[in-house]
Amino acid sequence: MNSELPDGCELSTDPARLDAELIHRWLSQDSYWALGRSREKQDEAIAHSLNFGVYDTASGAQLGYARVVTDRATFAWLCDVYVDRAARGRNLGTGLVAAIRDHLAPYGLRRVMLATADAHAVYAKVGFEPLADTEKWMLFGEQ
């Protein structure tokens, strides 16, 4: 499961390894999509999602995070993908997303969706493409 991650890094789906305080700080203070998200909301999101952490194998420090909301049958939403600023530039984001893609493959999902304002190239490297027909999709909630 770590084939796409750089040497010295490992991926885990074990929720007990997640540093929830760190994840909350990353997302609520340093992401454009979750600024100001409460710790309570973040903990709830973690509890109801399939979570992926990237860790330094030597120190055990968490370097990245992503979560997937899925029925494990037909659909998944990839969200909250974040790599610590100090660990960027090592292809951790691409490796994390590739590992998630591979982890989800056995489910035979029809769609894995995501939204990004600035990381299209990261997701394109692992097979994500822009929506061909955006007119089909609708949204309830914040734009």
Side-chain angles (χ1 to χ4, degrees):
M1 200 149 97
N2 294 328
S3 62
E4 307 254 359
L5 290 172
D7 288 340
C9 296
E10 64 181 336
L11 182 106
S12 175
T13 57
D14 180 358
R17 289 190 70 184
L18 296 173
D19 184 337
E21 182 179 333
L22 177 63
I23 293 166
H24 176 253
R25 186 169 56 250
W26 282 341
L27 297 177
S28 69
Q29 296 176 13
D30 194 41
S31 73
Y32 65 83
W33 65 90
L35 287 177
R37 183 183 290 169
S38 73
R39 173 67 190 267
E40 178 182 60
K41 279 291 182 192
Q42 185 58 50
D43 288 349
E44 192 174 340
I46 289 171
H48 297 287
S49 300
L50 178 57
N51 298 279
F52 297 83
V54 176
Y55 303 90
D56 180 275
T57 53
S59 69
Q62 188 166 350
L63 304 174
Y65 172 75
R67 68 186 180 92
V68 174
V69 181
T70 183
D71 60 11
R72 291 182 171 99
T74 63
F75 180 81
W77 179 263
L78 173 60
C79 53
D80 288 346
V81 179
Y82 188 93
V83 173
D84 186 276
R85 286 190 175 273
R88 292 180 186 173
R90 298 172 46 197
N91 290 319
L92 284 175
T94 301
L96 172 58
V97 175
I100 292 168
R101 176 203 60 206
D102 296 347
H103 183 90
L104 296 175
Y107 298 140
L109 303 172
R110 184 169 179 204
R111 285 190 183 88
V112 178
M113 302 282 299
L114 65 86
T116 184
D118 59 0
H120 297 79
V122 170
Y123 299 108
K125 288 178 189 176
V126 297
F128 283 86
E129 300 174 351
L131 288 174
D133 185 2
T134 58
E135 296 301 314
K136 290 181 182 179
W137 297 91
M138 296 181 74
L139 174 70
F140 178 83
E142 295 180 28
Q143 287 273 346

